[in-house]
Amino acid sequence: MNLTLSETAAALQDAKTLVITAHVNPDGDAIGSSLGLMHVLRSLGKDVTVLLDDDIPAGFSVLPGYDAIRRSVEGETIDCDLFVVLDTMTDRIGKVAEAVRAPRVLNIDHHHTNPGNDKEDLYLDATRAATCEIIYDLAKEMNVAVSKDAAMCLYTGLATDTGFFRFSNAVAHTYRAAADLIDAGAQPNVISEALEIKPMQTVKDLGEALAQFELFADGKAAGIFLTQEQTARMASTEAFIGHIRVIDGVDVAVVLKCKEPNVCRVSMRSKHVDVSRIATMYDGGGHIRAAGCTLKMPFEQAKTTIMAAIETAIREGWIA
């Protein structure tokens, strides 16, 4: 069932115990919205657990509550009044889906590709640049004063999902929200500096990845394709895609990581092509110019599959 903002706020206020999760391979918005909502709800006296099924990049340790994030454990079961899934469809949260038992599931998202399902309540606002922007809206709806801790987390999601306010999804409301969060105590310089710092090994990994990138689709697409061995030993690949997206003439950039023998995760960014159409072909989703999916097939097959899909999108002009 699709909810209004006020109905979503009411669902959060009515619950006493909540588990919050977000998508696998969490980014700044997934992490920021999870922690930001945690702080907002704890200020109301709620019992809140943040449970994610993936590693959290060390750069986000600057965020208050970073150490409170739990990783799902095989065989663990957590009971709660409300299970809150942020920044994704509920089928992209990994093993957390098996670990949580709740009478009600609330999905809060800003990706227009999220169809929802009949087993959950969905609040979707695709006009918001980030799920963190929706959490900001919910805090206002609940008349909760955003603390400095919450502001640090929510600002992070706004900044990272807008390319630090460079992308077209940053609109007037986004800037107003950012300004309010700064007034509440968010420190943009602290956040940006923390996220810019990279371990030496990550820089070396980036060099290795860039040394093997491939141009295809007549130079209109660029890809980094990482084998399972490479993926396993590379600490962080989050920034890789931005380095090939800026190549002159490239419209679509893709990074494919082989996580398991038959599981490959795909991230895509574009300047014009609607990559969300590609992602939804493989049960993924995202934004028009930033989307992802998981291909359950061997590395070489996954690589061939996603390259062909991107070539088709470019050739047929899937322009949003």
Side-chain angles (χ1 to χ4, degrees):
M1 181 173 67
N2 291 331
L3 302 184
T4 64
L5 185 70
S6 61
E7 289 171 336
T8 304
L12 293 170
Q13 289 175 309
D14 289 344
K16 294 181 179 179
T17 59
L18 306 93
V19 174
I20 298 171
T21 194
H23 53 80
V24 294
N25 195 27
D27 57 7
D29 192 26
I31 297 166
S33 60
S34 296
L35 290 177
L37 181 58
M38 178 192 77
H39 290 300
V40 168
L41 293 175
R42 283 184 175 177
S43 73
L44 295 174
K46 309 294 184 181
D47 181 349
V48 185
T49 300
V50 175
L51 192 65
L52 298 177
D53 183 30
D54 223 325
D55 296 324
I56 311 300
F60 292 105
S61 61
V62 71
L63 298 184
Y66 174 88
D67 292 334
I69 299 174
R70 292 182 52 191
R71 181 88 180 260
S72 59
V73 178
E74 192 74 31
E76 178 185 37
T77 301
I78 300 177
D79 293 299
C80 61
D81 298 331
L82 184 65
F83 184 28
V84 185
V85 178
L86 300 177
D87 200 41
T88 188
M89 299 177 286
T90 51
D91 59 357
R92 295 191 63 226
I93 59 175
K95 297 176 183 176
V96 174
E98 305 165 7
V100 179
R101 293 189 306 192
R104 187 176 186 183
V105 179
L106 174 60
N107 187 193
I108 302 172
D109 196 9
H110 72 127
H111 296 101
H112 74 282
T113 54
N114 188 339
N117 62 60
D118 58 6
K119 297 179 181 179
E120 68 185 26
D121 293 316
L122 173 66
Y123 179 71
L124 178 69
D125 188 348
T127 69
R128 297 307 187 223
T131 299
C132 279
E133 194 169 352
I134 296 176
I135 304 305
Y136 162 84
D137 290 339
L138 284 167
K140 292 185 67 175
E141 182 70 21
M142 294 186 287
N143 293 315
V144 176
V146 174
S147 65
K148 178 179 179 179
D149 287 352
M152 286 286 286
C153 300
L154 297 179
Y155 182 92
T156 297
L158 288 186
T160 54
D161 252 26
T162 61
F164 285 85
F165 306 96
R166 293 181 293 112
F167 300 158
S168 59
N169 61 343
V171 296
H173 181 276
T174 316
Y175 287 102
R176 293 190 188 101
D180 285 349
L181 293 172
I182 292 170
D183 284 341
Q187 298 172 288
N189 62 308
V190 172
I191 293 167
S192 61
E193 288 169 8
L195 296 183
E196 285 173 357
I197 294 173
K198 302 288 187 294
M200 182 181 295
Q201 187 58 48
T202 298
V203 177
K204 290 181 178 180
D205 291 343
L206 173 61
E208 177 184 342
L210 292 178
Q212 68 179 53
F213 86 87
E214 300 178 36
L215 289 176
F216 59 102
D218 296 324
K220 295 179 181 177
I224 293 174
F225 305 97
L226 303 174
T227 65
Q228 186 178 353
E229 182 275 328
Q230 288 176 303
T231 301
R233 63 178 167 78
M234 289 185 175
S236 175
T237 61
E238 187 177 0
F240 289 7
I241 200 164
H243 288 273
I244 56 174
R245 179 183 175 274
V246 297
I247 297 172
D248 187 24
V250 167
D251 188 344
V252 179
V254 57
V255 171
L256 181 147
K257 304 183 297 182
C258 184
K259 296 287 287 185
E260 299 174 23
N262 292 300
V263 178
C264 296
R265 291 183 184 169
V266 175
S267 296
M268 295 174 286
R269 302 289 184 273
S270 77
K271 296 169 186 171
H272 302 99
V273 168
D274 182 356
V275 290
S276 70
R277 286 184 60 183
I278 302 172
T280 54
M281 291 167 56
Y282 305 102
D283 297 322
H287 305 287
I288 290 172
R289 295 186 176 86
C293 59
T294 298
L295 300 180
K296 296 180 180 179
M297 57 186 73
F299 172 73
E300 290 296 342
Q301 182 183 353
K303 177 181 176 182
T304 301
T305 298
I306 200 63
M307 289 177 74
I310 291 170
E311 288 183 4
T312 298
I314 292 173
R315 183 177 65 252
E316 297 184 358
W318 294 4
I319 308 299

